[in-house]
Amino acid sequence: MRPRLLVKKSASDGRNGQTVTDEKDIKGEGPAPPDDASGTPESRPAPAPQESAAPKTPPAAPKPAAPAAPAAPPAAAPKANPLTAPVPSAALDRIREKFSDQVVEVTYYASEVTVKLKQERAEEIWRFLRDDPGLRFDYLSNLTAVHWPERPKPFEVVYHLFSISTRQRINLKLDVGEGEQPPTASLVWPTANWHEREVFDLFGIRFHGHPDMTRILMTDEWVGHPLRKDYPLEGKPEDHMQLRDVTTAEHVYTYEKSSIKGFGWKKEVEKTGEGRG
């Protein structure tokens, strides 16, 4: 690039005696650029070539949202157990009609109805079920008990009633506490005499008003009631009385093959050659 020359003119300012220097570009009237340190006029840098503006890429269209997952089908209701489905019962209807305040609970199983009652009017309800012309529960087919040690009243006495003439069935229950005596049913159904003696023998439940509350299965000397949950499954050592003499070989075979062990039988066999039968 060809350098430009500067021409300096000096003139006196007649007003205040100062000299004014006028610097002009030879080719132009504009002021000259300042010199660099070497005295050479400073070269102006060449303007940077302007980059051609590239066409702007249009913004990408937003991706379509993923389709929403189909809603989960509602959880299916648990299937009803046909064994516990309610069934019509004329006896239950009559009990609810006359003794609604005595009904504690009603359950169904295998097309049979079970009604848990209070004890206060139990005998009155039994007589009603036996004597009502539309019911006629004249047969006490079974009377038993169940032991629930964890409950406040740990026993249930269960009565299975059947009507020979109307072919109806109904089950009754009474909750019984430890030492509590429910009323005897032997005054309504005489067969309850033996059933209640069995319940007393195996569970220890006594029935108020029973004519002969004695054991019926175990011996009179037996201690405890074998169908209670707190009774040991293998019995107690003192329960195994010597009722007959047995040979050593027979006794050892019985001991080894049975699950009743640990009551001193083996020691007794080793000492005497005999043991309890």
Side-chain angles (χ1 to χ4, degrees):
M1 183 174 179
R2 186 176 178 181
R4 293 177 294 178
L5 300 178
L6 300 176
V7 178
K8 295 184 179 181
K9 293 183 180 180
S10 299
S12 297
D13 188 350
R15 291 172 295 180
N16 53 16
Q18 293 180 351
T19 303
V20 178
T21 302
D22 185 13
E23 296 183 359
K24 291 185 181 180
D25 191 340
I26 294 177
K27 290 188 177 180
E29 296 298 326
D35 296 340
D36 58 10
S38 60
T40 305
E42 183 180 1
S43 301
R44 292 182 179 180
Q50 295 184 357
E51 298 180 359
S52 58
K56 294 184 178 180
T57 305
K63 294 182 179 180
K79 293 183 178 180
N81 186 350
L83 288 176
T84 58
V87 293
S89 170
L92 174 60
D93 294 342
R94 297 287 285 140
I95 292 174
R96 282 175 166 167
E97 179 184 338
K98 291 186 65 68
F99 306 98
S100 60
D101 61 326
Q102 296 297 302
V103 176
V104 177
E105 181 185 39
V106 178
T107 56
Y108 302 87
Y109 191 81
S111 300
E112 290 193 10
V113 182
T114 301
V115 185
K116 183 176 288 189
L117 301 171
K118 298 178 182 179
Q119 288 191 36
E120 296 87 82
R121 302 175 65 185
E123 185 174 349
E124 183 181 352
I125 296 173
W126 297 337
R127 292 186 183 277
F128 169 76
L129 294 174
R130 184 195 64 182
D131 300 336
D132 185 272
L135 302 176
R136 295 291 183 185
F137 284 100
D138 47 6
Y139 178 42
L140 175 65
S141 61
N142 191 29
L143 189 159
T144 187
V146 186
H147 186 202
W148 305 96
E150 69 281 1
R151 295 184 181 180
K153 290 192 172 186
F155 298 101
E156 282 181 338
V157 180
V158 188
Y159 304 79
H160 298 264
L161 305 182
F162 181 69
S163 172
I164 297 174
S165 58
T166 65
R167 315 298 293 176
Q168 298 180 73
R169 292 182 184 274
I170 193 169
N171 306 317
L172 307 177
K173 286 184 178 181
L174 299 179
D175 284 331
V176 179
E178 188 72 61
E180 193 174 6
Q181 296 188 18
T184 180
S186 62
L187 304 179
V188 181
W189 299 286
T191 187
N193 184 317
W194 295 272
H195 289 311
E196 290 176 351
R197 287 179 61 191
E198 182 179 357
V199 168
F200 161 68
D201 195 357
L202 300 181
F203 291 92
I205 302 172
R206 293 180 176 271
F207 293 86
H208 177 71
H210 191 282
D212 184 23
M213 196 83 272
T214 57
R215 291 186 182 271
I216 194 173
L217 296 177
M218 315 306 291
T219 62
D220 292 338
E221 297 83 6
W222 199 273
V223 178
H225 306 280
L227 287 189
R228 293 174 62 125
K229 298 288 179 63
D230 53 6
Y231 195 89
L233 292 177
E234 296 179 347
K236 300 177 181 178
E238 61 271 18
D239 294 341
H240 301 278
M241 297 180 294
Q242 185 175 351
L243 302 178
R244 62 186 176 89
D245 294 334
V246 294
T247 64
T248 302
E250 181 183 355
H251 188 89
V252 170
Y253 174 82
T254 303
Y255 175 83
E256 295 298 338
K257 296 296 182 182
S258 72
S259 61
I260 304 177
K261 301 179 181 180
F263 298 134
W265 286 17
K266 194 170 186 179
K267 191 177 295 184
E268 187 176 350
V269 169
E270 292 172 352
K271 281 185 177 182
T272 65
E274 294 184 356
R276 295 177 178 179

